Amino acid sequence: MSTQSQKVAIITGASQGIGAALVEGYRKLGYAVVATSRTIAPLDDADVLTVQGDIADPATAGRVVEAAVERFGRIDTVVNNAGVFVAKPFTEYTAEDYATVTGINVAGVFHLTQRAVPHLLARGGGHIVNITTSLVDNADSRVPSVLASLTKGGVQSATKSLAVEYAGRGIRVNAVSPGTIKTPMHAEETHEFLSALHPVGRMGQVSDIVDAVLFLETAPFVTGEILHVDGGMSAGH
Ligand SMILES: NC(=O)c1ccc[n+]([C@@H]2O[C@H](COP(=O)([O-])OP(=O)(O)OC[C@H]3O[C@@H](n4cnc5c(N)ncnc54)[C@H](OP(=O)(O)O)[C@@H]3O)[C@@H](O)[C@H]2O)c1
C-alpha cells in the first residue's frame, strides 16, 4: 500500500483517449490512480492499479472501489470519464442503443459515485468530476444525438445537485463539457466536418480536457461548475 499521504484518483474509461491522458495527468499531480475500463491493461507504474470491468455493471463499481481501498487505503477523487456517443436521428435509435448509452453514461456514473462517496467523506472530502458534452447546452441539427443529451444532460444536472448536497461536507462536484475532441472516438475522415461545428473552426485536443479537469482538481472554491471546453460551441454559432 502507498503512503496514506498520497491522494488517490479513480478514473473510468482510462484505456484510451481522454481517460488515458487523465491517468498521466493525475500521476504528474502526484496522485496514485485506479484506472478502469473493460480492456485496460496493467501499466508499468506501481502507483497505477488497473481494474477491468464494464462500468454499466454495478458490480464493477464495487470492485473498483474495493480495489482502490485495498491497494491505496483511500479515495480522494473520482473522474467519471467513461462514455459513449451514438448520434442518430431520434426514431432510428434502437432499444440496444438506449440500454448501452444509458448504462455507461448514467448507470456507470451513478453506481461508482455512490460507492465512492463514503470513502471521500471518510477523508473529510474530495472531488468528483464528470465529463459531459457541449451538445447538452447546444443541440445541433447537424448532429442529432438525443441519447447524448438525455444521458449527459442528466449527469450535468446531477453534477450541480451533488455539488449542493455535499458542499457542506467537503466534497466538490464539477463537470467538464467538451466540444469535439480528437480521440479514437472520431474517425479521421470525420474531422473536417467536426471541426466546422466549432466557432473556432477546429476540434479540441485531449490535453485541453485534461488541463480543465486538473484546474478543477486544484480549485478549492469551485464546485457545481460546468466548465465548457468547446471552442465556443456553447456560446453560439
Ligand atoms: N471525444 C469527444 O469528442 C468527446 C466530446 C464530448 C464528450 N466526450 C466524453 O469524454 C469522455 C471520453 O471520451 P473519449 O473521446 O476519450 O472516448 P473514447 O476514446 O471512445 O474512449 C472511451 C473509453 O471508455 C471506455 N468504455 C467504453 N465503454 C465502456 C464500458 N461499457 N465500461 C467501461 N469502460 C468503457 C473505453 O474503454 P474499453 O473499450 O476498454 O472499455 C475507453 O477507455 C466520454 O465520456 C465522452 O462521452 C468526448
Side-chain angles (χ1 to χ4, degrees):
M1 190 187 289
S2 287
T3 58
Q4 288 286 314
S5 61
Q6 186 180 30
K7 288 189 172 182
V8 177
I10 294 174
I11 299 172
T12 71
S15 62
Q16 64 175 37
I18 294 165
L22 282 167
V23 174
E24 286 177 31
Y26 273 87
R27 287 293 298 122
K28 283 189 189 136
L29 209 57
Y31 283 57
V33 172
V34 178
T36 182
S37 86
R38 291 166 305 179
T39 67
I40 195 160
L43 299 186
D44 189 17
D45 179 345
D47 285 329
V48 179
L49 175 65
T50 57
V51 179
Q52 289 189 344
D54 180 350
I55 203 68
D57 180 354
T60 299
R63 286 194 296 109
V64 168
V65 166
E66 275 168 31
V69 173
E70 190 185 320
R71 171 76 166 265
F72 298 118
R74 61 189 281 178
I75 301 169
D76 298 274
T77 293
V78 177
V79 186
N80 288 306
N81 167 75
V84 280
F85 181 66
V86 181
K88 284 182 180 178
F90 178 56
T91 55
E92 291 180 18
Y93 279 118
T94 64
E96 193 186 0
D97 290 331
Y98 178 83
T100 300
V101 179
T102 57
I104 297 167
N105 291 5
V106 178
V109 173
F110 181 88
H111 295 301
L112 180 62
T113 305
Q114 195 179 51
R115 280 162 180 74
V117 159
H119 297 279
L120 272 58
L121 290 174
R123 305 294 314 177
H127 190 209
I128 296 159
V129 190
N130 299 318
I131 310 295
T132 62
T133 169
S134 187
L135 286 165
V136 166
D137 303 299
N138 167 56
D140 191 322
S141 60
R142 296 165 292 181
V143 192
S145 48
V146 164
L147 280 182
S149 294
L150 182 66
T151 56
K152 300 284 192 175
V155 169
Q156 215 157 273
S157 290
T159 299
K160 293 188 180 189
S161 182
L162 278 173
V164 168
E165 183 172 343
Y166 286 100
R169 286 176 279 174
I171 300 179
R172 295 183 302 114
V173 189
N174 291 298
V176 172
S177 179
T180 316
I181 308 300
K182 279 189 187 168
T183 72
M185 183 179 273
H186 304 294
E188 188 83 32
E189 55 270 25
T190 63
H191 285 189
E192 196 179 330
F193 166 76
L194 293 170
S195 293
L197 300 176
H198 303 76
V200 297
R202 61 181 171 80
M203 295 170 73
Q205 302 292 337
V206 164
S207 59
D208 293 316
I209 305 306
V210 174
D211 289 349
V213 172
L214 295 182
F215 161 72
L216 293 168
E217 186 63 48
T218 52
F221 200 51
V222 180
T223 193
E225 174 64 8
I226 311 298
L227 179 52
H228 292 88
V229 182
D230 65 359
M233 264 185 165
S234 60
H237 290 285

